[in-house]
Amino acid sequence: MKVNHHALELEQNYLFSEVAKRIREYQAANPEAPLYKLSIGDVTRPLSRVITDEMKAAAEDMSHAETFHGYGAEQGELFLREAIAGYYARRGTKLDPDDIFISDGAKNDLGNLCDLFDADNTVLLPNPVYPVYYDTSIMSGRRVQFLDGTKENGFLPMPPADVHADIIYLCSPNNPTGAVYNREQLAAWIRYAKAEHALILFDAAYEAYIRDPALPHSIYEIDGAAECAIEINSLSKTAGFTGVRCGWTIVPKTLQYEASLHQMWFRRTATKYNGCSYIIQRAAAAVFTEPGLQAVSADISYYMENARLIKAALQKAGIPSTGGENAPYVWFEAPQQADSWKCFDQLLYGFGIAGTPGAGFGTAGQGWMRFSSFGTRETVSRAAELLAASGGNFEK
Ligand code: PLP
């Protein structure tokens, strides 16, 4: 038996496992000390009643022969695909429910999509970015080319003039920088993808956090995207589904490549997946009802108020930051020119605050840190007080 050698090319420590390990070591050494976790990418607000009531009703249906559900439709239940199409339609984006595939989360689909592409493809990756794009590309044996996000380009790298790409990952709003591409920038990416005959994989997992009405939530808001882009989305951050698991991937029939990616994805899904649980799909559909959308919007506002508190505290401390206005992540430069992991340790051991080192999201994140706004108000407020009082000096 030969193993997949590409899988051995991965760094052994997944960023979030290393952060968790260092926090455990800190707690073991300081059992009484408080810990303020601004590192978490997980939500803390409980599910809204609108969602759990529907989940209970669906569970009840499963215990009656007349309403019991076994294997579901391969692509996911039509009622949920229609509800998602309705959600996009609210912003004027027309989607065919037939192009929407329900999944048990965006991370799974980001990995699964690799099944559709030959190993002989060049992948263009923004840097820094969610590590899963890089890791899954490496595991599949593809060449990776980075495009640096910098302070100067607002962490929104644009298509390079002289670089060929076959597959382009875009994450907007971006994890970890919180930066969001505007309509003109996405239009430029679409022009580039078409010229290169490349495919864009657009991760919109944080679209619900966009506050600026001028910013696009979906790549399909931009002309031409349906011929060159797949969009991946999730209810994890939109509706607190990190532990419930439900997402969707849009693979339009209009995508233009040597074979129909829609047909390939349908075939792949039918072969390797038997669908997201019926009960969870009912709960997911409840998110897209009026009361569901109101409830999740209240939770999102709660997290965005956390982001505001974090940004205000950094500003008071004289530490410039970006993000946090249309995304649940605040991104800031480590003070005193510390590298990311040094700053992580300084914050942890000096203040009991856990952040996430920017270097873990790519080389261009070196010297930067990410704070997440998914904590409880209590945690965020206390951490914000400590940060503001630090005066921007973490070397204590
Ligand atoms: N995409 C991005 C950009 C993320 O940050 C995350 C989770 O942190 C995911 C996808 C994964 O989402 P899911 O929980 O649906 O797998």
Side-chain angles (χ1 to χ4, degrees):
M1 194 286 277
K2 297 190 185 84
V3 300
N4 173 5
H5 279 256
H6 298 300
L8 301 177
E9 291 165 27
L10 296 180
E11 275 192 43
Q12 278 320 300
N13 279 329
Y14 184 61
L15 168 65
F16 302 104
S17 319
E18 177 63 20
V19 166
K21 183 177 137 246
R22 293 201 187 198
I23 292 175
R24 276 196 306 277
E25 285 166 2
Y26 163 78
Q27 287 184 304
N30 306 276
E32 305 297 321
L35 175 68
Y36 307 104
K37 270 195 181 178
L38 300 190
S39 52
I40 51 169
D42 200 354
V43 292
T44 50
R45 308 280 299 155
L47 290 175
S48 125
R49 279 271 161 223
V50 181
I51 297 165
T52 49
D53 283 349
E54 186 64 11
M55 221 185 264
K56 285 186 208 161
E60 182 60 30
D61 282 357
M62 296 299 259
S63 60
H64 303 279
E66 308 76 48
T67 47
F68 167 76
H69 284 259
Y71 287 127
E74 278 124 331
Q75 255 184 280
E77 299 300 338
L78 184 60
F79 65 78
L80 178 53
R81 289 185 282 120
E82 283 176 345
I84 292 169
Y87 177 65
Y88 280 74
R90 294 163 71 97
R91 295 184 51 81
T93 307
K94 260 209 184 121
L95 290 182
D96 182 349
D98 225 33
D99 289 348
I100 302 172
F101 294 75
I102 307 302
S103 71
D104 51 4
K107 195 193 233 183
N108 314 29
D109 267 3
L110 284 162
N112 294 335
L113 280 163
C114 290
D115 279 359
L116 302 193
F117 317 127
D118 196 280
D120 182 20
N121 273 308
T122 300
V123 174
L124 196 56
L125 281 188
N127 174 17
V129 85
Y130 184 51
V132 170
Y133 315 146
Y134 177 73
D135 286 357
T136 54
S137 298
I138 291 297
M139 277 176 169
S140 321
R142 288 190 192 102
R143 294 177 298 278
V144 173
Q145 180 100 31
F146 287 109
L147 208 50
D148 285 357
T150 59
K151 212 181 343 193
E152 290 66 40
N153 65 22
F155 294 98
L156 292 169
M158 292 304 294
D162 46 0
V163 175
H164 168 71
D166 300 301
I167 298 168
I168 303 152
Y169 286 85
L170 297 179
C171 181
S172 179
N174 182 279
N175 177 9
T177 67
V180 186
Y181 282 112
N182 65 29
R183 303 180 69 85
E184 293 70 36
Q185 289 168 324
L186 285 188
W189 272 112
I190 289 168
R191 279 195 303 277
Y192 171 79
K194 288 191 165 183
E196 296 291 320
H197 208 52
L199 174 73
I200 296 174
L201 296 175
F202 189 78
D203 185 341
Y206 298 100
E207 62 77 25
Y209 289 79
I210 294 175
R211 290 286 164 272
D212 180 345
L215 292 172
H217 289 233
S218 162
I219 196 160
Y220 302 119
E221 290 179 35
I222 316 299
D223 283 347
E227 286 112 57
C228 65
I230 286 176
E231 181 163 303
I232 300 103
N233 211 325
S234 163
L235 288 180
S236 281
K237 308 299 159 68
T238 300
F241 270 47
T242 52
V244 177
R245 313 301 308 146
C246 190
W248 65 91
T249 292
I250 303 163
V251 189
K253 288 185 215 68
T254 44
L255 288 174
Q256 291 169 354
Y257 299 91
E258 59 176 316
S260 160
L261 292 184
H262 178 91
Q263 272 175 20
M264 286 177 76
W265 183 242
F266 189 94
R267 189 69 179 85
R268 187 254 162 230
T269 305
T271 302
K272 291 198 182 178
Y273 189 50
N274 258 335
C276 174
S277 141
Y278 172 75
I279 297 170
I280 301 309
Q281 292 193 67
R282 284 271 298 272
V287 172
F288 300 106
T289 60
E290 264 325 305
L293 288 170
Q294 266 175 30
V296 298
S297 156
D299 288 333
I300 289 169
S301 298
Y302 175 99
Y303 294 132
M304 291 309 279
E305 173 60 12
N306 283 349
R308 196 191 63 75
L309 291 171
I310 295 168
K311 273 183 88 74
L314 288 170
Q315 196 184 10
K316 239 186 207 162
I319 303 170
S321 68
T322 67
E325 274 152 10
N326 294 290
Y329 297 120
V330 178
W331 181 245
F332 65 96
E333 208 162 354
Q336 291 87 49
Q337 279 152 14
D339 76 29
S340 299
W341 282 105
K342 181 170 177 203
C343 184
F344 174 87
D345 287 336
Q346 287 172 338
L347 276 168
L348 189 57
Y349 286 87
F351 304 87
I353 297 173
T356 308
F361 296 95
T363 49
Q366 183 54 277
W368 291 78
M369 292 290 292
R370 186 193 80 172
F371 279 151
S372 133
S373 65
F374 289 124
T376 62
R377 182 61 46 77
E378 201 184 357
T379 300
V380 168
S381 302
R382 184 68 193 123
E385 279 167 23
L386 293 168
L387 286 170
S390 76
N393 182 7
F394 291 177
E395 286 176 339
K396 61 169 201 177

